[in-house]
Amino acid sequence: MKTLIAAYSGVLRGERRAEAAGSENKNGGSALSREGSGRWGTGSSILSALQDIFSVTWLNRSKVEKQLQVISVLQWVLSFLVLGIACSVILMYTFCTDCWLIAVLYFTWLAFDWNTPKKGGRRSQWVRNWAVWRYFRDYFPIQLVKTHNLLTTRNYIFGYHPHGIMGLGAFCNFSTEATEVSKKFPGIRPYLATLAGNFRMPVLREYLMSGGICPVNRDTIDYLLSKNGSGNAIIIVVGGAAESLSSMPGKNAVTLRNRKGFVKLALRHGADLVPTYSFGENEVYKQVIFEEGSWGRWVQKKFQKYIGFAPCIFHGRGLFSSDTWGLVPYSKPITTVVGEPITIPKLEHPTQKDIDLYHAMYMEALVKLFDNHKTKFGLPETEVLEVN
């Protein structure tokens, strides 16, 4: 703005000098001509100043949007890691204060509402459409690619691969409307399945359920596939904690060869299987990989066995700089490709032979999906999906 005022003041001074020069007799014409050209030259400086102002404004707006994107991602990462524990501690502390009644009322509500997550939760379209999720999407950016239509008269189990560190692509695509999943698959209700332990955490459980997230256990999946009508799509990150332990940039590997439980569930309910691969999911964090047989891997496996998750030592970028370490993931593109559904018959008591048959079909479809799209998202033609 100061630049613009200075330029405008220059025009006024040029006009005054031109008027003064116009009163001279002999050299009036030439003086007026010189001052006139000066006036036009200073007018050009106004345009230049305006361009500078708009350029600076655009740059400032761009920086603000980038910071909003970083904050939107960080709030979800912190929610995922510490919200449940933090709220548990706060509520327990509240019991010892004059506000103890608040804690009593919440825990009374928690007991009354305990089984709601097992019935699909309590999704909120308002929460799923928050603007914060659009900033979350644009930070990486995250994209959802549809390859085939899904019938609303069928139920589905999506196998999501790979897990990555936090499954950020799965969350953004299926627990929010940032990538317009409801418009791309009209009539389909997505339910992202995650660890049941998360729904024992106060406040965190409400946050998760509002996005359509549910526990990944048999009771919940049986309910959604048998008592919730049709058009349900349960997204299961098949590789789970074991797969997260091998997550690293540049590696495309899935833990699937001995994971057959989701196929058995699909057969018992006649739910179609949909292979889904997220290109770039492993690129957003770096982690310390412990070798098999090391003490670090032993600790991780014990946690996985008894608690249900495996602690990872990982890092992303810092809050204010990409050159420092922190919890903010690196801004690498994540593209989730939803493949062609595999029609599954309903068998109340599937045999091991039935399970093995459709599991093999699923693995073949996943590899085919990977091979058909890998070159579109920056991978070489020689890249091979490692199935463990």
Side-chain angles (χ1 to χ4, degrees):
M1 184 58 71
K2 292 180 180 179
T3 305
L4 183 60
I5 292 172
Y8 183 67
S9 300
V11 171
L12 292 180
R13 287 195 299 270
E15 288 177 344
R16 293 192 186 102
R17 286 196 301 270
E19 290 173 357
S23 61
E24 297 181 0
N25 293 328
K26 289 185 178 180
N27 298 324
S30 60
L32 185 59
S33 175
R34 287 194 302 271
E35 291 299 333
S37 63
R39 180 170 58 195
W40 286 109
T42 314
S44 298
S45 68
I46 290 182
L47 294 177
S48 177
L50 285 171
Q51 290 174 349
D52 290 343
I53 290 171
F54 287 130
S55 176
V56 170
T57 302
W58 182 87
L59 287 173
N60 288 338
R61 181 178 178 182
S62 178
K63 288 180 180 178
V64 169
E65 286 191 356
K66 189 62 179 178
Q67 287 303 314
L68 287 174
Q69 291 169 10
V70 171
I71 292 170
S72 70
V73 173
L74 182 61
Q75 68 82 24
W76 170 247
V77 170
L78 293 178
S79 297
F80 181 84
L81 295 175
V82 301
L83 179 62
I85 296 173
C87 289
S88 298
V89 171
I90 291 171
L91 282 170
M92 295 302 294
Y93 172 76
T94 305
F95 267 120
C96 305
T97 68
D98 293 338
C99 299
W100 60 269
L101 184 58
I102 295 175
V104 170
L105 289 174
Y106 181 80
F107 279 112
T108 301
W109 159 254
L110 189 62
F112 174 77
D113 195 55
W114 190 255
N115 290 323
T116 298
K118 296 179 181 179
K119 297 180 180 180
R122 190 170 40 247
R123 75 173 55 215
S124 166
Q125 286 301 116
W126 176 64
V127 174
R128 287 174 61 90
N129 282 283
W130 276 354
V132 67
W133 307 131
R134 294 192 290 275
Y135 286 111
F136 184 103
R137 172 200 65 197
D138 293 339
Y139 171 78
F140 295 93
I142 295 174
Q143 182 183 5
L144 180 64
V145 176
K146 169 185 174 181
T147 61
H148 291 79
N149 292 324
L150 299 181
L151 299 175
T152 56
T153 55
R154 301 284 295 174
N155 284 323
Y156 301 91
I157 293 180
F158 285 34
Y160 183 92
H161 313 270
H163 184 287
I165 296 296
M166 294 186 188
L168 296 172
F171 169 75
C172 184
N173 284 311
F174 301 112
S175 295
T176 80
E177 292 297 328
T179 55
E180 300 184 331
V181 61
S182 294
K183 291 182 179 179
K184 291 178 180 178
F185 299 102
I188 302 297
R189 293 182 299 276
Y191 294 89
L192 177 60
T194 187
L195 290 176
N198 290 323
F199 297 90
R200 301 186 186 101
M201 298 286 188
V203 182
L204 175 62
R205 69 191 293 275
E206 324 298 340
Y207 196 17
L208 296 178
M209 285 194 292
S210 66
I213 302 177
C214 66
V216 60
N217 56 35
R218 179 172 173 175
D219 290 342
T220 304
I221 296 173
D222 283 344
Y223 179 88
L224 291 174
L225 295 180
S226 62
K227 300 179 181 179
N228 201 43
S230 60
N232 301 292
I234 302 173
I235 296 88
I236 300 177
V237 186
V238 178
E243 192 171 84
S244 68
L245 296 179
S246 61
S247 171
M248 59 184 297
K251 185 174 184 179
N252 288 285
V254 297
T255 302
L256 177 61
R257 200 169 296 280
N258 295 317
R259 300 291 177 105
K260 301 180 181 180
F262 72 106
V263 178
K264 185 176 181 179
L265 284 169
L267 284 165
R268 289 180 62 244
H269 295 283
D272 295 346
L273 290 171
V274 183
T276 305
Y277 196 86
S278 226
F279 294 90
E281 184 72 64
N282 284 342
E283 306 298 319
V284 297
Y285 278 115
K286 298 177 181 178
Q287 76 160 315
V288 177
I289 304 293
F290 293 103
E291 298 294 332
E292 290 292 338
S294 66
W295 67 269
R297 183 54 63 95
W298 180 84
V299 170
Q300 289 176 324
K301 286 187 174 181
K302 290 298 181 183
F303 266 85
Q304 180 186 341
K305 181 179 179 180
Y306 293 109
I307 301 179
F309 74 94
C312 302
I313 300 177
F314 66 91
H315 73 85
R317 51 156 288 181
L319 178 60
F320 300 106
S321 172
S322 59
D323 297 326
T324 58
W325 287 9
L327 290 175
V328 180
Y330 294 106
S331 55
K332 303 291 185 179
I334 299 176
T335 305
T336 303
V337 184
V338 179
E340 181 179 4
I342 302 168
T343 303
I344 303 294
K346 185 174 182 179
L347 304 173
E348 286 191 19
H349 303 287
T351 64
Q352 190 60 48
K353 184 178 179 180
D354 295 325
I355 296 170
D356 290 342
L357 172 65
Y358 286 99
H359 182 262
M361 291 173 61
Y362 179 86
M363 286 199 299
E364 182 181 351
L366 179 64
V367 172
K368 182 179 178 182
L369 179 71
F370 178 86
D371 289 338
N372 288 345
H373 292 86
K374 60 187 178 183
T375 57
K376 299 176 185 177
F377 305 114
L379 297 178
E381 186 65 43
T382 55
E383 184 74 18
V384 175
L385 179 62
E386 181 183 334
V387 180
N388 299 314

